[in-house]
Amino acid sequence: MAAALLHQLSLCVLGPRLYRVYRDPSSLSSSSSPPSPPSAPTPAPQTTDPPRSTPAAPTAASWEAFYQPRSLEKYTDSVLAWVSVLWSISYYTSPLAVFYLYRKGYLSVPRLLLFSQYTATFLLLLAGVACLRGLGRWTNPQYVQFISILEETARNNSAENKKRLSRYNFDFKSWPADFRWDETSSSKDKPGARSVAGVSLLKPELRPRGAANGILHRMQKLPCQIISYLLAHSFGRRMVYPGSVYLLQKVVMPMLLQGQARLVEEYNGTRAKLVACDGNEIDTMFVDRRAARTERGKKLVICCEGNAGFYEIGCVATPLEAGYSILGWNHPGFAGSTGVPHPQNEANAMDVVIQYALHRLGFQLEDIVIYAWSIGGFTGTWASMSYPEISALVLDASFDDLVPLALKVMPESWRGLVTRTVRQYLNLNNAEQLCRYQGPVLLIRRTKDEIITTTVPEDVLSNRGNNLLLRLLQHRYPKVMTEEAVAVVWEWLGTASSVEEASVYSQYEVEDDWCLSVLQSYKAEHSGTFPCSVGEDMTPEGKRQLALFLARKYLKNFDTTHCTPLPASEFQMPWSL
């Protein structure tokens, strides 16, 4: 008996933090109501996407399900949380602190020994605080019941135990894995494309050099390569993916808990941990609408968030409100997901998310739509390139390439270093990946976008979504997109309102029926794959008309800023013949 009590006490000391005990979704009268449109957050620096949205505040009854710790656990937990925040701050300021201590002469051996003694004493005190927290948990029947279910699930990961465990929201690192990248194999798995080294990525093209010149060149460039590596893996990665910064996650944690509770309690969402081929654990949320037997419910929209976005408060609200089944996931290093976000890890995570949708959730590739917002366009275009049978791709407020946006916020004198660093370590080549996809595509451009414009938000011509559109059209319709046709499309892209857009459209006397008949006739006589040769024998006037028609079909304007949530009415499937 005493041994069992000691074991239970040890579990309480070492166990995860418990945030919430979910209510039974069947007891909620509002389970069928869509999420309220969230309010736009305050924009962050121009290289980042702020947390996209916050769900509407729940009713007073909704907060009753929060886990209520006893006083001892509550205060000791607060102490440990503050220590965690201070440790995070000291981690980011450690280079400056070491430099200051060195200048003051504090890095001598006697002082270091004294510092180590203080550190050991401090760690012992923290261990004591953790033990007191465990004692407080041990006296709380609610936590004891939770930790018993968690232990039982660890021993027997059955569906019944997982169902019981899913009633609790706790530190996700203790959640048992639900799916692994190597669990299944099929003809769709592309043998050789996926391994522990990671999935395949498009690499930047290297300039050919002679053997002697190549060795000499590498030796000369070695200092720059070291600097690039340090920049990319220090503040560079955190500028590109600020959502992975611990301090930001602590700030938005209440909103994440609130958003997750809404998905679970009101939409019967299912949370799952997926293990990618690099070992990173990916936090996902699935809402199944197939029981409604609607065409939209049969479609699964996989949502790819921005660089400071989380599925709990992100773009999943748009297709969810529109009636689709949704699968949201967090970038590596974001909230419950482990690892660090960079292109290879991002692609690895997206791959296991798709495999989970296929082999565990039971969807076909033809039933999957990718919806990517902002920097999520990288994983969205990678998925469409790697799984060409995917039904459609919707890119919202996304860009063609990271380099121009990185150059915008860095000193001009750093141009070469920034370009080299991005190309080698943070190469988000959305346009290049998009051109490998044959399916329907819709680009949504924000006409007041303050993030992916290279000048000012009012200058719509500097929106990098324009370049993404032109790269796609030039690849798919090379005979149509002549120099004159491209100039006409640029003129159309320079319009900032629907009235101006219609004026340019009528100026060139675009006949939609004629353009559509030309494309349908070509498709009937040819395979319909891209690039296509439609427009080869067409007059310049016809090419201009067709170029404008295609631009209007592939790109839709939304008159708002980068971080304004997309209304469900604006979310639509891409055009296709």
Side-chain angles (χ1 to χ4, degrees):
M1 182 68 178
L5 291 176
L6 286 175
H7 176 67
Q8 191 178 72
L9 178 60
S10 66
L11 291 176
C12 292
V13 171
L14 302 175
R17 184 177 180 181
L18 178 59
Y19 297 111
R20 188 182 184 100
V21 181
Y22 291 128
R23 297 171 295 163
D24 184 359
S26 62
S27 66
L28 302 177
S29 59
S30 59
S31 60
S32 60
S33 62
S36 302
S39 58
T42 303
Q46 291 189 353
T47 53
T48 68
D49 300 329
R52 181 178 172 88
S53 58
T54 306
T59 60
S62 177
W63 295 100
E64 295 175 359
F66 267 103
Y67 167 67
Q68 299 296 331
R70 300 287 174 88
S71 297
L72 183 59
E73 179 187 357
K74 179 180 179 180
Y75 293 125
T76 52
D77 215 16
S78 298
V79 171
L80 294 175
W82 273 108
V83 170
S84 179
V85 171
L86 293 175
W87 169 255
S88 180
I89 294 174
S90 64
Y91 172 79
Y92 292 115
T93 59
S94 57
L96 295 176
V98 170
F99 179 74
Y100 174 80
L101 293 174
Y102 174 77
R103 292 292 301 272
K104 293 295 184 179
Y106 293 150
L107 296 183
S108 60
V109 174
R111 290 183 179 275
L112 289 176
L113 289 175
L114 183 62
F115 176 75
S116 64
Q117 292 175 356
Y118 287 146
T119 302
T121 303
F122 182 69
L123 292 177
L124 285 175
L125 289 174
L126 284 182
V129 172
C131 290
L132 289 175
R133 182 181 65 175
L135 185 61
R137 291 171 172 176
W138 191 49
T139 61
N140 191 326
Q142 203 171 28
Y143 190 90
V144 171
Q145 183 183 31
F146 154 70
I147 202 67
S148 300
I149 295 174
L150 180 61
E151 184 187 24
E152 178 63 26
T153 307
R155 288 198 302 260
N156 179 16
N157 196 9
S158 64
E160 180 60 30
N161 285 336
K162 288 298 291 289
K163 183 178 179 180
R164 294 168 62 204
L165 188 63
S166 65
R167 293 183 55 244
Y168 299 92
N169 188 352
F170 54 96
D171 283 342
F172 200 61
K173 61 184 178 182
S174 299
W175 187 281
D178 295 277
F179 182 82
R180 290 183 53 85
W181 68 281
D182 54 357
E183 275 190 22
T184 58
S185 61
S186 70
S187 58
K188 296 181 182 293
D189 280 350
K190 302 187 181 77
R194 186 184 301 105
S195 68
V196 291
V199 297
S200 300
L201 293 180
L202 295 179
K203 302 296 183 182
E205 294 184 4
L206 301 177
R207 298 176 182 176
R209 294 181 178 271
N213 290 338
I215 295 175
L216 180 61
H217 177 74
R218 286 196 294 269
M219 292 180 62
Q220 292 174 342
K221 293 295 184 181
L222 183 60
C224 293
Q225 291 175 352
I226 294 175
I227 295 174
S228 292
Y229 179 87
L230 294 175
L231 287 177
H233 291 84
S234 56
F235 69 87
R237 172 171 55 80
R238 291 171 176 84
M239 285 182 65
V240 177
Y241 292 98
S244 63
V245 177
Y246 175 77
L247 294 177
L248 175 62
Q249 295 188 35
K250 290 292 290 183
V251 171
V252 301
M253 179 59 73
M255 292 186 290
L256 299 185
L257 294 176
Q258 177 183 338
Q260 193 168 105
R262 190 178 183 93
L263 290 170
V264 171
E265 294 182 342
E266 297 189 19
Y267 293 100
N268 201 22
T270 302
R271 195 180 187 188
K273 176 186 285 188
L274 317 183
V275 181
C277 58
D278 52 19
N280 288 335
E281 298 172 347
I282 307 303
D283 183 5
T284 68
M285 179 67 71
F286 170 56
V287 175
D288 195 352
R289 294 285 184 77
R290 286 173 290 189
R293 300 187 181 278
T294 62
E295 289 302 315
R296 290 188 174 187
K298 296 176 184 177
K299 288 281 187 181
L300 176 68
V301 178
I302 299 180
C303 302
C304 304
E305 300 291 344
N307 65 358
F310 306 83
Y311 72 72
E312 293 92 338
I313 54 175
C315 63
V316 298
T318 299
L320 187 61
E321 185 178 351
Y324 293 92
S325 297
I326 61 100
L327 177 58
W329 61 282
N330 281 331
H331 299 281
F334 283 52
S337 296
T338 64
V340 294
H342 59 72
Q344 185 64 67
N345 286 358
E346 288 280 293
N348 295 342
M350 187 65 188
D351 182 71
V352 75
V353 167
I354 294 177
Q355 291 297 312
Y356 174 67
L358 296 176
H359 299 293
R360 185 59 60 84
L361 301 182
F363 288 91
Q364 301 297 317
L365 283 172
E366 296 77 11
D367 301 323
I368 295 177
V369 176
I370 305 295
Y371 173 44
W373 173 62
S374 191
I375 210 171
F378 173 75
T379 48
T381 54
W382 181 88
S384 60
M385 172 187 71
S386 304
Y387 294 88
E389 298 90 354
I390 280 175
S391 174
L393 173 65
V394 180
L395 297 178
D396 181 8
S398 197
F399 52 88
D400 61 324
D401 190 10
L402 183 61
V403 170
L405 300 177
L407 292 174
K408 177 183 72 170
V409 297
M410 301 302 289
E412 178 64 26
S413 58
W414 290 27
R415 173 176 288 270
L417 179 62
V418 171
T419 303
R420 184 184 305 109
T421 302
V422 171
R423 283 283 175 259
Q424 189 165 359
Y425 299 106
L426 299 166
N427 190 35
L428 305 184
N429 49 346
N430 297 352
E432 187 178 5
Q433 294 184 151
L434 179 60
C435 290
R436 304 294 182 97
Y437 178 54
Q438 296 282 323
V441 175
L442 174 63
L443 308 180
I444 300 174
R445 183 182 68 162
R446 311 296 183 97
T447 57
K448 298 176 182 176
D449 202 309
E450 72 281 13
I451 301 297
I452 65 169
T453 47
T454 54
T455 55
V456 294
E458 294 76 20
D459 182 15
V460 292
L461 284 177
S462 70
N463 189 308
R464 297 304 300 188
N466 302 333
N467 304 78
L468 186 60
L469 171 69
L470 287 170
R471 284 283 300 273
L472 179 64
L473 293 181
Q474 288 172 324
H475 169 76
R476 291 191 168 190
Y477 309 96
K479 303 300 182 182
V480 173
M481 300 303 294
T482 60
E483 187 174 345
E484 290 183 357
V486 170
V488 170
V489 173
W490 270 116
E491 182 180 353
W492 178 77
L493 289 170
T495 60
S497 67
S498 57
V499 175
E500 295 177 357
E501 179 183 334
S503 176
V504 172
Y505 209 65
S506 61
Q507 176 186 340
Y508 290 95
E509 301 178 347
V510 180
E511 298 181 14
D512 289 354
D513 293 339
W514 176 80
C515 293
L516 188 61
S517 65
V518 168
L519 294 171
Q520 289 175 338
S521 298
Y522 176 86
K523 184 178 180 180
E525 298 175 4
H526 300 80
S527 62
T529 58
F530 301 111
C532 66
S533 59
V534 64
E536 189 171 16
D537 301 323
M538 196 175 290
T539 64
E541 292 78 8
K543 291 181 181 181
R544 287 195 292 265
Q545 284 193 45
L546 192 55
L548 279 176
F549 174 82
L550 292 169
R552 200 175 190 181
K553 290 296 184 182
Y554 278 91
L555 185 141
K556 301 295 182 184
N557 284 321
F558 184 37
D559 187 27
T560 187
T561 58
H562 186 80
C563 297
T564 303
L566 186 72
S569 58
E570 297 289 333
F571 184 80
Q572 54 187 277
M573 291 297 106
W575 168 81
S576 62
L577 284 175

